[in-house]
Amino acid sequence: MRAFNAELSKLFSLPGIWLAFLIGAFAPAVIASLDSIVEKEDIIVGVSTRLSEVGYIGLGLGVQGMIILGVLAVSSEYLTESSESGGGNQITTSLTVVSSRFHFLLAKASAVTVISILLSIVAILTTVLATNLILGEYAPAFEASRLIGAVCYWVFTALLAFGITVLTKNGIIPLAVLMINSSVVTVSYLLTKVTELAFYLPDMAGLDMFMFRSDSFHTPFTGGFIMFAWVAVLFIVAAIVFHRRDVAS
């Protein structure tokens, strides 16, 4: 428990983490607002076809804050400390305090999970509020099961970013790849046009937990299970690599 509290404290002390919170809390609402404006115009002219997706699109595209959170949680450990602190890495100090590498990694992943859950709830509240304010009586009913799926998607996304950063020891690669892939036109989506195997990629499968589209490939449960399996396998691999790695190198 002390390791978990320490990891929470370290996360909140990072300057960049507030950018993750800001993006996570408001980016989905901004995207949902823009989508709601367009959808309201379509409703007025009688060509609305995406009303059931409004709001959820913002939650699907607004996960950049989770990516930043997962990346920073790990990459901050490998930043060089000041000369007054010996010029080493934070990871050396962290592992001195927490002797078990597995417990250290588990505590850090748990901190990321808790913050992800809380931030996803805030994002849902701002998104629902923005959608209802703009669409008014036309606003879709947000289903509890779909919102739970969105929370899971956010948490799993943060943990995927976390695991990849553990493997790379560098935040630039996972941050760039995951941020690009969570944009409007994702690489994963383009791959689905080439092969159906792309529907088993974590982000595409995870979206089926709450984005009930006509072209959904998985049921919500199956999509969630696939994304969870990716997270579990990645965490196991990351834990093995982290256990065997010379952290000073």
Side-chain angles (χ1 to χ4, degrees):
M1 192 65 183
R2 284 185 297 177
F4 170 74
N5 291 333
E7 291 306 322
L8 278 179
S9 178
K10 280 196 289 185
L11 277 175
F12 281 110
S13 69
L14 298 174
I17 209 67
W18 298 105
L19 175 62
F21 292 165
L22 185 65
I23 293 175
F26 296 106
V30 171
I31 296 171
S33 297
L34 296 174
D35 197 33
S36 296
I37 293 172
V38 174
E39 188 62 18
K40 190 170 185 178
E41 293 176 353
D42 290 343
I43 292 173
I44 293 173
V45 298
V47 294
S48 174
T49 58
R50 301 181 301 102
L51 189 58
S52 63
E53 296 180 5
V54 173
Y56 295 105
I57 293 177
L59 293 172
L61 295 176
V63 294
Q64 287 83 359
M66 295 298 92
I67 295 171
I68 296 172
L69 170 65
V71 169
L72 281 181
V74 179
S75 62
S76 60
E77 294 285 346
Y78 293 95
L79 295 177
T80 303
E81 297 177 338
S82 63
S83 56
E84 290 81 3
S85 302
N89 294 330
Q90 174 64 40
I91 187 67
T92 304
T93 305
S94 296
L95 292 180
T96 301
V97 177
V98 184
S99 57
S100 170
R101 294 194 180 195
F102 177 74
H103 289 161
F104 166 73
L105 209 59
L106 186 60
K108 189 174 284 291
S110 298
V112 169
T113 299
V114 169
I115 294 177
S116 300
I117 293 173
L118 295 176
L119 195 53
S120 63
I121 293 173
V122 173
I124 286 172
L125 293 175
T126 58
T127 299
V128 171
L129 178 61
T131 303
N132 279 277
L133 283 175
I134 294 173
L135 288 177
E137 61 179 305
Y138 302 112
F142 287 87
E143 303 170 26
S145 59
R146 296 178 70 178
L147 294 178
I148 292 173
V151 171
C152 292
Y153 181 73
W154 277 47
V155 172
F156 292 162
T157 298
L159 292 176
L160 282 172
F162 176 92
I164 294 172
T165 310
V166 171
L167 293 175
T168 62
K169 293 177 57 176
N170 186 297
I172 297 177
I173 295 174
L175 192 62
V177 172
L178 293 174
M179 290 288 275
I180 292 174
N181 199 51
S182 63
S183 61
V184 177
V185 181
T186 72
V187 176
S188 298
Y189 177 75
L190 294 177
L191 286 175
T192 62
K193 304 302 180 181
V194 179
T195 172
E196 289 188 348
L197 291 176
F199 285 107
Y200 290 89
L201 292 173
D203 55 329
M204 293 305 301
L207 285 172
D208 285 336
M209 286 190 286
F210 63 98
M211 289 290 291
F212 297 173
R213 303 156 297 181
S214 58
D215 60 343
S216 293
F217 195 80
H218 305 288
T219 65
F221 177 81
T222 302
F225 178 79
I226 292 171
M227 193 173 189
F228 172 77
W230 275 93
V231 172
V233 171
L234 182 60
F235 185 82
I236 291 172
V237 173
I240 293 173
V241 171
F242 185 70
H243 178 74
R244 297 178 177 178
R245 174 187 291 158
D246 179 5
V247 296
S249 60

